[in-house]
Amino acid sequence: MLTVKNLNIFYGRKQIIENASFSIKPGEIVGLIGPNGAGKTTIMKTLLGLTKFTGSITFNNQPITANNHKALQNVGALIENPAIYPFLSGKDNLSLYSTDKGEVAELITKLQMNSYIQRQAKSYSIGMKQKLGIALALLNHPQFVILDEPMNGLDIETTILIRKIIHEYAHKGTAFLISSHVLSELQKVMTSVIILNQGHIIMDVPVSQFQERDSQQYRLVTTDNQTAIKLLTANSITVIPTSTGLIVNKDALSQIQQILFKNQVWLRELVPNVPSFEKKIITVLKERRENSNGK
């Protein structure tokens, strides 16, 4: 559906994005992740033809450029802040961009905005404006939706609702590119992850593949953890005690099992110590920095 090849973006003489290439298929929910200043919003704006670039961007085999936006007729977006006319009601804002009254009414109900949709948008809270912005992005049955920090200002119930709506649209074939600092929420919706660092794409994989990255640590529980700590420490094996067991390095497992067996300390549990999604992202970025410094 969307193909980006060798994307380079400059602000003046400063290069913001360097040789970025990726593709998005129908129904995919792609998370665009990276530290502040990595270039996430810049890429999103460029996909909408809002910045000049070199390389190529095509949507349904039609080119997108700073001067050619024809392909964007089937693309919806929420970038940074919702583009809302403050003195119009929420419903009038939606009606400006859609002639389908049925779709407008459906989105208002779907996003639970009926109680305030007739009020002027200037009176809306941050969360209300955000929901209206998401509704604008979903108007006209888009094939591809770009969302920049969509969970901004939303309470827990609304966040769950938005997550459900994204899944619903994706199931019907709509593709999403979503950037968010709330990684725990992004993890619950995305099917693929693109990690961006200092203008470079350093990872572009399905979420399932990313989650399967080998754990270098294991958590073990024994019949006598205190004795196990003394035995392993005496053999120069690093042990990190926690409330749920002992954390040890993967490469020491064979030696650990021999020591414990020899001293009649039995294993009750031995499982990979799988880090959280956030920690995995931090590890990937750290590895990238270390490799760059090594060069």
Side-chain angles (χ1 to χ4, degrees):
M1 178 179 287
L2 177 79
T3 303
V4 177
K5 291 183 179 179
N6 302 320
L7 184 67
N8 291 278
I9 306 170
F10 292 83
Y11 284 169
R13 295 183 178 179
K14 183 179 180 181
Q15 186 161 11
I16 307 300
I17 301 297
E18 184 174 346
N19 289 327
S21 298
F22 61 92
S23 61
I24 298 177
K25 300 173 184 177
E28 262 195 301
I29 305 172
V30 180
L32 183 60
I33 296 172
N36 290 335
K40 302 184 297 296
T41 300
T42 298
I43 283 182
M44 289 179 154
K45 287 181 175 179
T46 304
L47 295 181
L48 295 170
L50 299 177
T51 57
K52 292 182 179 179
F53 63 91
T54 62
S56 69
I57 303 172
T58 58
F59 180 69
N60 288 338
N61 296 317
Q62 289 184 289
I64 297 174
T65 70
N67 299 316
N68 184 359
H69 296 174
K70 185 178 180 181
L72 296 173
Q73 292 176 350
N74 294 310
V75 177
L78 170 60
I79 303 291
E80 294 179 330
N81 299 308
I84 296 170
Y85 290 96
F87 293 100
L88 293 179
S89 70
K91 186 174 183 179
D92 286 341
N93 269 279
L94 291 169
S95 298
L96 277 177
Y97 300 99
S98 175
T99 56
D100 187 341
K101 293 182 180 180
E103 185 194 16
V104 169
E106 181 183 351
L107 278 171
I108 291 169
T109 301
K110 192 185 293 286
L111 284 157
Q112 299 177 2
M113 299 188 293
N114 288 285
S115 62
Y116 58 84
I117 199 66
Q118 300 290 359
R119 286 162 39 191
Q120 286 185 330
K122 68 176 184 177
S123 68
Y124 288 7
S125 67
I126 293 175
M128 291 174 181
K129 290 177 180 177
Q130 194 71 1
K131 282 206 286 185
L132 182 56
I134 292 171
L136 287 166
L138 295 175
L139 276 177
N140 302 314
H141 309 287
Q143 296 177 349
F144 178 45
V145 178
I146 298 173
L147 300 175
D148 188 11
E149 299 293 343
M151 307 306 181
N152 182 37
L154 302 183
D155 58 28
I156 295 175
E157 288 185 352
T158 306
T159 298
I160 294 171
L161 173 65
I162 298 302
R163 190 197 311 159
K164 179 182 176 182
I165 291 171
I166 289 171
H167 278 302
E168 178 185 322
Y169 274 73
H171 183 69
K172 295 177 181 178
T174 301
F176 287 83
L177 179 65
I178 306 174
S179 173
S180 176
H181 286 100
V182 188
L183 298 184
S184 58
E185 280 303 322
L186 193 55
Q187 179 189 3
K188 293 171 184 174
V189 296
M190 64 184 179
T191 58
S192 298
V193 56
I194 294 175
I195 302 178
L196 192 65
N197 186 54
Q198 295 180 337
H200 294 84
I201 291 178
I202 60 175
M203 187 170 286
D204 179 7
V205 295
V207 168
S208 57
Q209 184 178 330
F210 180 77
Q211 296 285 37
E212 289 170 1
R213 282 170 59 89
D214 288 340
S215 173
Q216 298 304 309
Q217 292 184 323
Y218 273 68
R219 179 174 61 83
L220 58 87
V221 178
T222 72
T223 52
D224 188 345
N225 282 353
Q226 293 305 314
T227 299
I229 292 171
K230 292 177 182 178
L231 289 170
L232 299 180
T233 303
N235 284 272
S236 302
I237 295 173
T238 301
V239 184
I240 305 173
T242 72
S243 60
T244 58
L246 310 178
I247 306 301
V248 297
N249 290 330
K250 179 181 180 181
D251 55 11
L253 283 181
S254 179
Q255 185 183 0
I256 288 170
Q257 292 181 79
Q258 291 176 15
I259 293 168
L260 295 179
F261 179 79
K262 181 179 179 180
N263 290 274
Q264 295 187 327
V265 176
W266 313 117
L267 280 173
R268 285 180 172 170
E269 190 175 348
L270 177 63
V271 294
N273 186 45
V274 180
S276 66
F277 186 78
E278 289 89 343
K279 286 185 178 179
K280 285 188 176 185
I281 294 293
I282 291 170
T283 298
V284 170
L285 293 172
K286 183 179 178 182
E287 289 173 354
R288 174 70 181 194
R289 283 195 296 269
E290 289 174 349
N291 292 338
S292 297
N293 291 337
K295 292 178 181 179

